[in-house]
Amino acid sequence: MAKVRMRDVAEHAGVSVRTVSNVVNGFSHVSPETRAKVQRSLDELGYRMDYLARGLRSGRTGFIALAVPFLAEPYFAELAQAVIRAAGRRGITVLVESTAGDSEVERRIIEGGLTNVADGVLLSALTLPATDIAAKKPDFPLVMLGEHSVGDQFPRVGIDNVAAARTAVEHLLEQGCRWIVALGRNGSENGRQRTEGYEQAMSAARVRRVNWLVVPVEDWTREQGYVAVRELLEGDGPLPDAIFAFNDALAVGALRALDASGVRVPEDVAVVGIDAVQESAYTHPPLTSVAPDLDVIAERSLALLEEQMQASGESGEAASGEGAQVGAVVAATQEATPYRLVVRESSRREPVREPAPE
């Protein structure tokens, strides 16, 4: 069987070869009607992309890099899966790098440390200060994932962190909770934003801020959640009636500590997390959590990365070898992606009538 060429698809669809190329490569400047028509021709003729030839023509590797803090953490593992699925639909291979939350590793990546093996980079930074990120000028395709404040230099895709935290706390307030612990404050940007969302919700409900209810941890892990809540329960303060954990890992540790202490969830203490990882549906009791739409995050971040790769390729061609940078020349975009509150048994309770903390 003869190999189907782009020219064959163009003739079948009644469009130009360049239009077929734009559709095959996932470029955005094609109308939905034309894209659908070309896709039908691609499917009917059985066109298959020759990725090796495309790479030789374009000077690209066909790889992108995804750098996340910890692959052992369920949220980042599930995010990686979503990116790999979305990239696979585009014919792109994903190289996954773990930074271990090391700011120096994150700094090397943002300075181009992975560009020798990848055409572009998706980076979920954990500890790199926002000021360090904002001070960099991108000279390669890069999209930031998550809730870091990145200034105007880099495109960023992630949920509105403050609003997501506020949603979680508002749910607990609606359940009648008033002594609500904020579990997870640390020096990170994520920690700052989720603390801000907690405080906004409490202030709007006219609940006075109580310092001991804001519980710091070093890392957002199950162990840290367990230890922090055990220490809280063994202290001299009254029993809180709810815990807002800054991620699901902390919430899982909190659930274990409450169970070990004989505290009922949600009757005595309600618990809510953020991330809605698959594990959260199988805790005891199942965990209420804020769920980011990982598929949307993956799709939008890859679309922005491809726009940069296309733009950098076009700028390189225009320069005709005059030493132009292979840089991101599209405007930085800050995209807030959807999220939803998944309500499960860990927070469903009858409203209680406790006095607000003084």
Side-chain angles (χ1 to χ4, degrees):
M1 183 180 295
K3 181 177 178 181
V4 178
R5 303 166 300 172
M6 281 194 187
R7 187 184 307 278
D8 302 321
V9 177
E11 291 175 357
H12 187 273
V15 299
S16 68
V17 173
R18 183 176 182 83
T19 297
V20 175
S21 176
N22 287 337
V23 173
V24 167
N25 287 286
F27 296 150
S28 59
H29 46 275
V30 179
S31 71
E33 296 79 9
T34 300
R35 186 181 300 277
K37 180 170 61 174
V38 172
Q39 189 60 57
R40 283 195 297 270
S41 294
L42 290 167
D43 295 339
E44 290 176 17
L45 296 178
Y47 176 84
R48 294 292 179 269
M49 170 71 81
D50 186 337
Y51 295 111
L52 177 59
R54 183 180 73 170
L56 291 173
R57 288 194 303 270
S58 66
R60 295 179 184 169
T61 66
F63 297 100
I64 65 166
L66 168 65
V68 296
F70 304 105
L71 283 171
E73 288 298 325
Y75 172 79
F76 294 113
E78 292 177 21
L79 174 63
Q81 281 298 120
V83 170
I84 290 168
R85 285 194 301 269
R89 292 191 287 270
R90 291 168 162 80
I92 296 172
T93 300
V94 181
L95 306 175
V96 182
E97 173 81 5
S98 174
T99 65
D102 186 320
S103 61
E104 287 304 314
V105 175
E106 293 174 353
R107 183 174 288 105
R108 285 198 296 272
I109 290 172
I110 209 171
E111 291 174 348
L114 294 175
T115 54
N116 60 326
V117 294
D119 300 321
V121 177
L122 304 177
L123 171 62
S124 178
L126 182 65
T127 57
L128 190 62
T131 51
D132 287 14
I133 297 174
K136 301 296 178 184
K137 285 192 175 181
D139 59 359
F140 64 95
L142 171 69
V143 174
M144 302 294 293
L145 302 180
E147 292 69 57
H148 249 71
S149 296
V150 297
D152 297 327
Q153 290 91 332
F154 299 100
R156 181 189 67 81
V157 177
I159 63 173
D160 183 331
N161 218 9
V162 176
R166 193 169 59 241
T167 296
V169 178
E170 287 170 349
H171 167 69
L172 291 170
L173 290 163
E174 289 166 0
Q175 300 302 303
C177 303
R178 290 298 180 268
W179 294 76
I180 302 174
V181 168
L183 176 62
R185 187 186 65 185
N186 58 14
S188 72
E189 183 72 6
N190 271 355
R192 184 194 66 76
Q193 292 177 0
R194 292 183 185 179
T195 301
E196 181 180 346
Y198 164 83
E199 292 179 342
Q200 285 184 7
M202 298 289 276
S203 176
R206 300 182 182 277
V207 178
R208 183 178 299 176
R209 188 185 195 277
V210 179
N211 288 336
W212 64 266
L213 290 175
V214 180
V215 178
V217 298
E218 292 182 9
D219 301 302
W220 290 1
T221 63
R222 300 171 186 83
E223 180 183 7
Q224 289 283 305
Y226 175 82
V227 170
V229 172
R230 283 302 296 264
E231 290 177 352
L232 182 69
L233 296 175
E234 293 168 359
D236 297 330
L239 183 70
D241 56 16
I243 295 174
F244 163 49
F246 285 13
N247 75 345
D248 282 1
L250 286 169
V252 169
L255 288 173
R256 180 69 185 93
L258 293 167
D259 181 68
S261 299
V263 178
R264 299 172 303 165
V265 177
E267 294 86 352
D268 300 325
V269 178
V271 180
V272 173
I274 290 186
D275 290 341
V277 298
Q278 294 178 19
E279 177 186 11
S280 66
Y282 300 97
T283 56
H284 179 70
L287 177 66
T288 294
S289 188
V290 176
D293 193 325
L294 296 184
D295 289 325
V296 172
I297 291 173
E299 286 289 344
R300 289 306 306 143
S301 61
L302 282 167
L304 289 171
L305 195 65
E306 284 191 312
E307 286 180 21
Q308 291 185 71
M309 291 190 293
Q310 180 187 7
S312 63
E314 291 173 352
S315 65
E317 290 175 6
S320 304
E322 296 176 5
Q325 289 183 323
V326 182
V329 295
V330 296
T333 302
Q334 311 296 306
E335 292 206 11
T337 52
Y339 65 87
R340 62 191 177 94
L341 181 69
V342 180
V343 179
R344 301 192 181 105
E345 287 87 333
S346 72
S347 67
R348 288 198 187 107
R349 59 188 294 184
E350 292 297 323
V352 294
R353 289 177 172 79
E354 295 281 344
E358 295 296 332

